[in-house]
């Protein structure tokens, strides 16, 4: 709970009087404040510098070192103060956290020293306020990267037991690991270069044949074919080896580099298959274009290329916007030019799409001159077009370039912050859940407390009460009063969903055992039913059509048995015997199950040893607090976090 | 031929005129649009910082049922959370919601705020706070019931009708949240209100007056007992 909450708890509890007239059930007893300690000043001596604060200030966060009884370990009897052998400068921000509820990260402080101080005093860094959180995270990340850089140099050491496959994969990924890998790396690089050069040279005209320029490819067909074959064989072997060595073949086949590999070597094989058919040779020629993709194989060899590709990919939105605005301008000017030139004869501006070409050429200041406006209006607009082209293209480019780096980094930071925020909120939610599960856990403990109230002595009672702070118990009492007011109880989320599921799955169980109070009974049927069972006859209500109504037989033996079984039923709520609870198909809620539960378990389940263990608890049901459903899940963790 | 060329040029000029007019209109709009946006930045800086200091400690001690030490503790907590000396509704809702993490406490906090805010000016001063606490914790039964009646009577007309009660009860149920056992149904609040009116409305006229309320509450021993529950809070 936050600092303010502790101060306002008395007010919240007082305001609970507003629920009293509305409540149907009596309220639980308030926790007694056994030791009414007066607020006193505490002296904290941190390496010689004395800090003083109220005791209640420290107790705002009971799950930190200073707020809990852990500080007693540091108590110095002679000087009547608490002595901590820590850095006093860092302690300032720790103490300010208690005072103001906000944790700040001082910039002059070393990040790891600060972390250690926080860990010592039991404060989680996630609650650093928004003003300082980003700085803290940045410094932490820098630090982590620095440490990681030191570690990465040792990463290349060869692990002793790697399979042949793993060695090969490592060789492919890091060519510097072994000489074989390096040789392979250079060989493939060489062949990529050869292949690209071959493709280029193939089209150069060399020599004449029947008064026509003939490209070298057609003159030296065999040589080029051999070269191509050799390259493709190397590439195929490489691809197959990579495929074999890949740890996840499916993922490898989906990766960009492997697709490039496939596209690079496919035309050759397709060409092999269909050399003789004249019709498809045209298509075959087109396929040869894809051989240029081999140049992209260089990106495995060049880090810079990879970064460029990544940058373009990440700035795609900015480029897209540039393209969009250019398109808009082009369309506008093309339209204007078309209508301006419409009147003139022999105009090249035959249609608006035809004018696109003119607009693009003019705006990029190329000015080929194949399309020229002839009318005066056309010339005017043509000049406006070229002027605006200069502005539209030349001006934003540096702005966009600088925007690239700014937006790029900002995006990264925003994504980081969003990811952090999700994680932070998740952690805070866990902490909140911690406080709610704490309440549910304490309810179970409360059972023990209430029962021991009667039977045990003062000493044991105090011993039990010490387990949770007074603040906690008061807060839980408040929540308990709310439960009593509404007649419903807080349950765990999982349990709630399981209940709903149960409701859907188990419609018609054991119709012979029936509820005596059904859904119409409403709030009075749940909490007060226990009371009514003991004394008066409960009201028989009309229930859903497929359930019979019985009144509860009022034999005292059954009462007691059912009383005990209340406890059992609660236990079994998170046990395996939920199937015994009656449910209607169409309704998911289970307001009538309280009574049914008790009925049902009498017959079916053997009485498990209730945790409370005493049927003398019957007398205590006066307050109707009786036995709220002990719905904590098995994994109840009472680790409360001071985030709130 | 000449006429054709003349017409062509006229046509071109025609389009030219129209397009230039369009551009000019757009530019004017643009300028106007641009010029409007500059003025908005200044108003945000004026945040009214209202600081309120409470009356003297002696006066407060005389007006309420607390002694000096208790007032000191209360004020320290109050000032810590609200340095300006007043609580506005949002802060109040935030504070109150922290006690009920399961559900949504804002509606009930709103009604509570109105009950605390005796001057109905949208903020609670320390005096309001302490006066209300004094009634709730140290007041007589009649005073407590009167305070509760004021809480329920949302429109302050002296009568509680079913709609007001429905709002209050629904607000209370909202605080429970979604995950309850047994699961909340949509008509649970209505049934609760009906039961309440059954008990409280003596002459069955559809509204509950202050006297009916106090009378009915005094008859119910559960309520009487629970009113004494929080006496040792401070």
């Amino acid at each position: 709970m936050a600092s303010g909450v502790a101060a306002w708890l008395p007010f919240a509890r007082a305001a609970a009087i507003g629920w009293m007239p509305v409540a149907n059930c009596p309220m639980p007893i308030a926790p007694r404040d056994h030791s009414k300690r007066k607020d006193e000043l505490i002296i904290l001596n941190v390496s010689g510098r004395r800090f003083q604060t109220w005791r209640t200030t420290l107790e705002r966060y009971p799950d930190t070192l200073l707020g809990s009884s852990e500080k007693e370990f540091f108590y110095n009897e002679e000087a009547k103060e608490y002595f901590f052998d820590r850095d006093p400068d860092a302690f300032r921000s720790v103490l300010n956290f208690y005072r103001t509820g906000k944790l700040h990260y001082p910039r002059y402080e070393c990040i790891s020293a600060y972390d250690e101080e926080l860990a010592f005093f039991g404060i989680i860094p996630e609650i650093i306020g928004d003003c300082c959180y980003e700085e803290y995270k940045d410094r932490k990340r820098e630090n982590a990267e620095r440490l990681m850089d030191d570690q990465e140099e040792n990463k290349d050491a060869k692990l002793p037991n790697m399979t042949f496959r793993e060695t090969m994969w490592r060789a492919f990924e890091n060519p510097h690991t072994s000489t074989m890998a390096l040789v392979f790396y250079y060989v493939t690089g060489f062949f990529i270069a050869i292949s690209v050069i071959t493709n280029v040279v193939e089209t150069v005209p060399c020599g004449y044949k029947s008064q026509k320029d003939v490209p070298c490819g057609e003159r030296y067909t065999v040589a080029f074919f051999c070269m191509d074959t050799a390259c493709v064989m190397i590439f195929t072997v490489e691809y197959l080896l990579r495929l074999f060595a890949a740890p996840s073949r499916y993922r490898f086949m989906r990766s960009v580099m492997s697709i490039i590999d496939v596209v690079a070597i496919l035309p050759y094989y397709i060409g092999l298959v269909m050399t003789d058919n004249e019709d498809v040779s045209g298509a075959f020629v087109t396929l040869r274009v894809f051989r240029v993709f081999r140049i992209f194989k260089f990106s495995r060899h060049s880090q810079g290329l990879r970064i460029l590709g990544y940058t373009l990919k990440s700035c795609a939105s900015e480029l897209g916007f540039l393209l969009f605005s250019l398109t808009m301008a082009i369309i506008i000017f093309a339209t204007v030019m078309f209508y301006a030139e419409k009147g003139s004869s022999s105009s090249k501006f035959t249609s608006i799409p035809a004018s696109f070409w003119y607009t693009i050429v003019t705006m990029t200041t190329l000015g080929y001159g194949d399309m020229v406006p002839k009318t005066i209006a056309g010339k005017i607009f043509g000049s406006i077009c070229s002027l605006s082209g200069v502005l539209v293209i030349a001006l934003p480019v540096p702005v966009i370039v600088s925007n690239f780096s700014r937006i790029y980094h900002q995006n990264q930071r925003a994504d980081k912050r969003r990811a952090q925020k999700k994680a932070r909120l998740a952690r805070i939610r866990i902490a909140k859940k911690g406080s709610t599960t704490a309440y549910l856990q304490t309810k179970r403990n409360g059972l023990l407390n209430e029962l021991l109230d009667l039977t045990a002595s003062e000493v044991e009672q105090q011993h039990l009460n010490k387990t949770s702070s007074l603040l906690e118990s008061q807060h839980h009492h408040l929540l308990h009063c709310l439960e009593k007011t509404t007649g419903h109880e807080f349950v765990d989320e999982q349990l709630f969903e399981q209940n709903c599921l149960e409701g859907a799955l188990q419609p018609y169980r054991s119709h012979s055992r029936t509820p005596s109070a059904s859904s119409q009974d409403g709030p009075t049927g749940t909490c007060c039913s226990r009371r009514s069972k003991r004394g008066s006859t409960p009201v028989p209500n009309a229930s859903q059509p497929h359930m019979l109504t019985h009144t509860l037989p009022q034999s005292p033996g059954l009462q007691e048995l059912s009383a005990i079984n209340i406890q059992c039923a609660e236990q079994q709520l998170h046990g395996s015997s939920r199937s015994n609870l009656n449910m209607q198909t169409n309704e998911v809620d289970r307001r009538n199950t309280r009574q049914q539960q008790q009925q049902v378990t009498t017959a079916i389940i053997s009485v498990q040893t209730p945790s409370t263990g005493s049927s003398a608890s019957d007398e205590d049901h006066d307050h109707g607090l009786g036995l709220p459903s002990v719905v904590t899940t098995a994994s109840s963790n009472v680790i409360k976090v001071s985030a709130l | 031929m000449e006429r054709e060329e003349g017409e062509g040029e006229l046509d071109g000029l025609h389009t030219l005129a129209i397009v230039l007019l369009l551009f000019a209109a757009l530019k004017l709009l643009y300028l106007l649009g641009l010029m409007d946006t500059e003025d908005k930045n200044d108003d945000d800086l004026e945040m009214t910082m209202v600081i309120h200091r409470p009356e003297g400690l002696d006066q407060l001690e005389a007006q309420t049922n607390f002694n000096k030490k208790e007032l000191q503790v209360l004020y320290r907590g109050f000032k810590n959370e609200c340095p300006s000396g007043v609580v506005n509704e949002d802060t109040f809702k935030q504070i109150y919601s922290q006690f009920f993490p399961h559900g949504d406490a804002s509606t009930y906090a709103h009604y509570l705020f109105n009950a605390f805010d005796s001057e109905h000016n949208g903020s609670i001063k320390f005096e309001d706070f302490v006066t209300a606490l004094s009634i709730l914790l140290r007041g007589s039964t009649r005073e407590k019931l009167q305070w509760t009646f004021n809480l329920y009577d949302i429109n302050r007309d002296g009568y509680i009708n079913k709609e007001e009660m429905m709002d209050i009860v629904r607000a209370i149920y909202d605080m429970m949240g979604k995950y309850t056992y047994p699961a909340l149904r949509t008509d649970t609040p209505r049934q609760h209100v009906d039961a309440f009116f059954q008990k409280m409305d003596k002459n069955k006229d559809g509204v509950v007056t202050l006297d009916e309320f106090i009378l009915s509450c005094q008859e119910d021993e559960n309520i009487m007992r629970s009113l004494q529950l929080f006496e040792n809070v401070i």
Side-chain angles (χ1 to χ4, degrees):
Chain A
M1 292 198 288
S3 66
V5 167
W8 289 75
L9 189 60
F11 146 75
R13 300 182 69 214
I17 287 188
W19 306 334
M20 302 302 153
V22 181
N24 300 313
C25 313
M27 293 291 144
I29 330 172
R32 286 188 286 263
D33 195 354
H34 290 279
S35 54
K36 203 86 192 276
R37 277 181 307 196
K38 285 205 293 213
D39 208 2
E40 51 176 4
L41 280 177
I42 298 188
I43 305 178
L44 300 161
N45 186 347
V46 183
S47 301
R49 208 190 298 181
R50 281 185 173 72
F51 298 86
Q52 290 184 340
T53 181
W54 296 107
R55 179 179 289 277
T56 45
T57 311
L58 291 182
E59 282 172 358
R60 282 183 195 147
Y61 297 98
D63 40 289
T64 57
L65 183 149
L66 291 175
S68 66
S69 56
E70 194 183 342
K71 64 176 183 280
E72 304 299 327
F73 285 101
F74 299 92
Y75 190 63
N76 187 351
E77 286 291 343
E78 298 100 38
K80 292 257 182 298
E81 62 187 14
Y82 294 87
F83 182 77
F84 297 97
D85 206 2
R86 308 292 298 188
D87 184 9
D89 291 325
F91 188 73
R92 266 185 51 235
S93 30
V94 168
L95 195 54
N96 275 334
F97 166 63
Y98 287 90
R99 291 183 179 135
T100 60
K102 291 204 207 74
L103 182 62
H104 294 280
Y105 168 59
R107 282 182 169 79
Y108 55 80
E109 195 74 44
C110 165
I111 188 76
S112 35
Y114 189 69
D115 268 342
E116 277 176 24
E117 293 297 311
L118 287 187
F120 180 82
F121 286 103
I123 301 174
I124 55 169
E126 264 68 38
I127 45 180
I128 292 182
D130 284 331
C131 43
C132 302
Y133 191 69
E134 200 176 323
E135 167 96 15
Y136 171 80
K137 271 290 180 213
D138 283 342
R139 293 273 291 265
K140 195 150 184 184
R141 194 180 22 94
E142 274 177 41
N143 208 27
E145 280 171 3
R146 210 172 298 135
L147 291 176
M148 203 170 62
D149 279 340
D150 290 338
Q151 284 174 14
E152 241 188 36
E153 290 171 3
N154 311 332
K155 203 178 73 173
D156 290 334
K158 188 171 177 171
L159 304 166
N161 297 333
M162 281 174 52
T163 65
F164 176 61
R165 194 173 148 184
E166 283 174 0
T167 341
M168 235 172 41
W169 182 250
R170 229 179 99 245
F172 279 135
E173 294 297 300
N174 296 345
H176 304 284
T177 45
S178 67
T179 26
M180 268 305 293
L182 214 56
V183 163
F184 185 75
Y185 177 74
Y186 283 130
V187 162
T188 42
F190 175 70
F191 271 97
I192 295 175
I194 290 282
S195 162
V196 169
I197 292 175
T198 313
N199 283 343
V200 166
V201 168
E202 223 176 23
T203 57
V204 169
C206 44
Y208 281 93
K209 195 174 182 180
S210 60
Q211 276 89 36
K212 208 169 54 154
D213 254 336
V214 149
C216 287
E218 284 182 23
R219 191 140 167 217
Y220 303 105
T221 325
V222 178
F224 279 105
F225 183 71
C226 289
M227 197 86 84
D228 209 15
T229 313
C231 292
V232 167
M233 293 249 286
I234 301 275
F235 295 152
T236 318
V237 163
E238 181 205 352
Y239 180 70
L240 288 175
L241 281 179
R242 276 184 201 265
L243 191 61
F244 166 69
S248 157
R249 301 236 167 87
Y250 178 60
R251 213 158 53 106
F252 171 72
M253 283 180 49
R254 277 193 318 175
S255 70
V256 176
M257 287 312 300
S258 88
I259 292 179
I260 291 179
D261 285 338
V262 168
V263 168
I265 60 182
L266 222 44
Y268 175 79
Y269 289 111
I270 296 182
L272 275 186
V273 165
M274 42 186 210
T275 29
D276 300 333
N277 200 338
E278 278 299 320
D279 293 332
V280 297
S281 64
F284 167 64
V285 167
T286 335
L287 271 180
R288 286 175 130 213
V289 166
F290 285 105
R291 288 189 304 176
V292 81
F293 270 73
R294 287 179 195 164
I295 207 171
F296 284 115
K297 286 165 71 75
F298 265 130
S299 58
R300 273 212 189 90
H301 299 255
S302 158
Q303 175 85 336
L305 218 59
R306 273 206 295 266
I307 290 180
L308 180 66
Y310 180 68
T311 314
L312 285 177
K313 194 164 59 152
S314 59
C315 295
S317 62
E318 282 81 32
L319 286 174
F321 174 70
L322 172 62
L323 218 60
F324 175 69
S325 56
L326 270 179
T327 313
M328 250 178 30
I330 287 172
I331 292 178
I332 291 177
F333 277 109
T335 314
V336 166
M337 286 307 295
F338 172 69
Y339 282 111
E341 284 289 301
K342 200 159 178 214
S344 82
S345 54
S346 73
S347 154
K348 291 249 180 73
F349 295 81
T350 48
S351 66
I352 295 188
S355 319
F356 280 168
W357 174 242
Y358 169 75
T359 319
I360 292 176
V361 165
T362 313
M363 280 184 87
T364 52
T365 69
L366 277 176
Y368 286 138
D370 52 349
M371 282 165 87
V372 174
K374 293 202 173 58
T375 59
I376 296 188
K379 287 186 177 156
I380 290 179
F381 288 122
S383 40
I384 296 180
C385 176
S386 60
L387 284 176
S388 65
V390 167
L391 286 176
V392 166
I393 293 195
L395 264 186
V397 167
V399 175
I400 284 184
V401 163
S402 72
N403 265 2
F404 269 1
S405 43
R406 187 174 58 85
I407 294 176
Y408 179 65
H409 288 126
Q410 221 179 48
N411 257 350
Q412 276 196 326
R413 237 182 282 140
D415 283 335
K416 237 189 298 161
R417 220 180 301 137
R418 237 175 288 134
Q420 281 171 12
K421 186 171 187 162
K422 259 199 254 172
R424 277 177 84 190
L425 286 178
R427 277 189 282 258
I428 291 182
R429 218 179 304 127
I430 289 178
K432 238 190 174 173
K433 233 194 260 176
S435 79
T436 60
T437 55
Y439 172 58
L440 298 169
Q441 174 78 357
T442 317
K443 278 211 285 202
R444 193 216 296 237
N445 293 341
L447 278 171
L448 297 165
N449 271 356
E450 297 300 335
L451 291 163
L452 287 176
D453 255 344
L454 306 171
T455 58
S457 62
E458 270 287 311
V459 180
E460 281 187 42
Q461 201 178 2
Q462 275 185 355
H463 168 69
L464 271 175
N465 274 344
K466 274 207 191 102
T467 53
S468 62
S469 74
L470 182 67
L471 217 61
E472 284 263 342
S473 57
Q474 286 179 344
H475 186 209
H476 291 164
H477 176 249
L478 187 65
L479 291 173
H480 206 172
C481 286
L482 181 60
E483 283 184 344
K484 282 286 174 288
T485 309
T486 55
H488 293 68
E489 290 168 3
F490 294 112
V491 302
D492 217 347
E493 183 175 338
Q494 298 170 341
L495 198 62
F496 178 77
E497 276 159 20
Q498 271 168 342
N499 290 347
C500 297
L501 238 84
E502 289 286 322
L505 290 178
Q506 303 281 347
Y508 298 106
R509 280 287 281 164
S510 56
H511 43 270
S512 56
R513 297 167 199 85
T514 56
S516 59
S518 74
S519 46
Q520 263 82 335
D521 207 353
T524 55
T526 51
C527 61
C528 304
S529 59
R530 263 166 269 128
R531 226 175 3 129
S532 60
K533 271 174 51 176
R534 304 189 60 238
S536 49
T537 54
V539 183
N541 294 331
S543 66
Q544 312 303 321
H546 51 268
M547 284 209 195
L548 314 170
T549 50
H550 286 170
T551 56
L552 179 61
Q554 285 299 307
S555 57
L558 186 57
Q559 268 187 15
E560 255 179 46
L561 192 54
S562 50
I564 294 179
N565 284 320
I566 296 172
Q567 306 171 18
C568 308
E570 312 327 308
Q571 302 294 335
Q572 287 145 22
L573 268 182
H574 51 89
S576 54
S577 53
R578 242 177 253 110
S579 55
N580 298 318
L581 304 167
N582 274 341
M583 278 306 298
Q584 306 108 336
T585 30
N586 34 6
E587 286 194 352
V588 187
D589 53 331
R590 306 162 72 234
R591 289 158 30 126
N592 49 356
T593 54
R594 185 51 61 97
Q595 297 273 1
Q596 303 158 17
Q597 221 167 299
Q598 291 138 7
Q599 296 303 312
V600 164
T601 55
T602 311
I604 293 183
I605 308 297
S606 61
V607 178
Q608 300 177 1
T609 47
S611 67
T612 54
S614 62
S615 52
S617 61
D618 256 0
E619 278 72 54
D620 196 40
H621 287 187
D622 233 357
H623 290 281
L625 66 80
L627 303 140
S629 66
V630 182
V631 292
T632 54
T633 55
S635 64
S636 53
N637 47 342
V638 203
I639 301 172
K640 295 153 283 193
V641 188
S642 64
L644 296 176
Chain B
M1 283 285 276
E2 290 173 18
R3 261 189 71 210
E4 243 186 278
E5 280 191 67
E7 268 185 49
E9 282 187 288
L10 213 62
D11 253 330
L13 283 173
H14 201 69
T15 26
L16 174 67
I18 292 178
V19 175
L20 276 179
L21 207 63
L22 204 69
F23 274 160
L26 278 175
K27 181 139 183 144
L28 202 64
L29 218 65
Y30 195 47
L31 268 177
L32 284 176
L34 264 188
M35 291 200 315
D36 272 345
T37 56
E38 290 173 30
D39 296 336
K40 292 176 191 161
N41 301 330
D42 305 334
D43 297 334
D44 297 343
L45 301 175
E46 288 187 43
M47 269 203 312
T48 46
M49 280 292 287
V50 177
I51 305 243
H52 176 84
R53 296 207 165 78
E55 316 162 8
L57 201 49
D58 301 319
Q59 272 177 295
L60 277 179
E61 196 188 12
Q63 286 171 3
T64 66
N65 304 333
F66 293 119
N67 61 20
K68 278 218 173 76
K69 262 239 165 333
E70 292 165 342
L71 284 172
Q72 277 180 345
V73 171
L74 279 174
Y75 188 68
R76 279 212 297 266
F78 186 84
K79 180 97 178 168
N80 208 22
E81 194 61 18
C82 318
S84 59
V86 294
V87 191
N88 60 3
E89 186 159 346
D90 289 328
T91 324
F92 189 85
K93 279 186 181 167
Q94 249 179 356
I95 294 173
Y96 199 69
S97 302
Q98 289 186 40
F99 292 104
F100 304 99
H102 306 263
D104 172 29
S106 52
T107 335
Y108 188 72
H110 168 74
Y111 295 130
L112 213 54
F113 185 84
N114 286 340
F116 267 74
D117 185 13
S118 54
E119 293 167 14
H120 307 290
N121 56 357
S123 65
I124 299 182
K125 307 192 300 287
F126 183 63
E127 288 94 333
D128 299 331
F129 179 66
V130 145
T131 323
L133 271 190
S134 158
I135 295 177
L136 287 173
L137 300 177
R138 304 280 167 90
S140 69
T141 316
R142 197 193 162 79
E143 286 175 345
K144 290 183 190 173
L145 289 173
Q146 200 156 3
W147 189 91
T148 317
F149 185 84
N150 278 334
L151 174 66
Y152 295 160
D153 185 14
I154 300 177
N155 56 0
R156 311 245 180 269
D157 62 352
Y159 300 103
I160 305 178
N161 52 11
K162 274 213 169 158
E163 284 73 37
E164 292 173 338
M165 213 49 221
M166 267 304 285
D167 289 337
I168 298 271
V169 169
R170 210 180 289 123
I172 295 181
Y173 273 93
D174 282 343
M175 284 198 283
M176 289 292 294
K178 207 167 64 145
Y179 303 115
T180 61
Y181 175 76
L184 284 171
R185 290 166 26 135
T186 38
D187 57 347
T188 314
R190 170 143 294 280
Q191 290 178 5
H192 207 131
V193 172
D194 289 337
F196 177 81
F197 261 78
Q198 196 107 355
K199 196 165 56 160
M200 299 281 165
D201 193 5
K202 292 272 188 258
N203 56 359
K204 305 286 175 231
D205 58 354
V207 292
V208 179
T209 63
L210 179 61
D211 298 314
E212 283 178 346
F213 184 72
I214 294 184
L215 212 61
S216 319
C217 287
Q218 281 171 341
E219 289 170 1
D220 187 341
E221 54 175 63
N222 272 336
I223 298 182
M224 285 292 113
R225 201 179 9 212
S226 47
L227 283 181
Q228 316 301 325
L229 202 57
F230 293 107
E231 294 217 313
N232 60 344
V233 164
I234 299 276

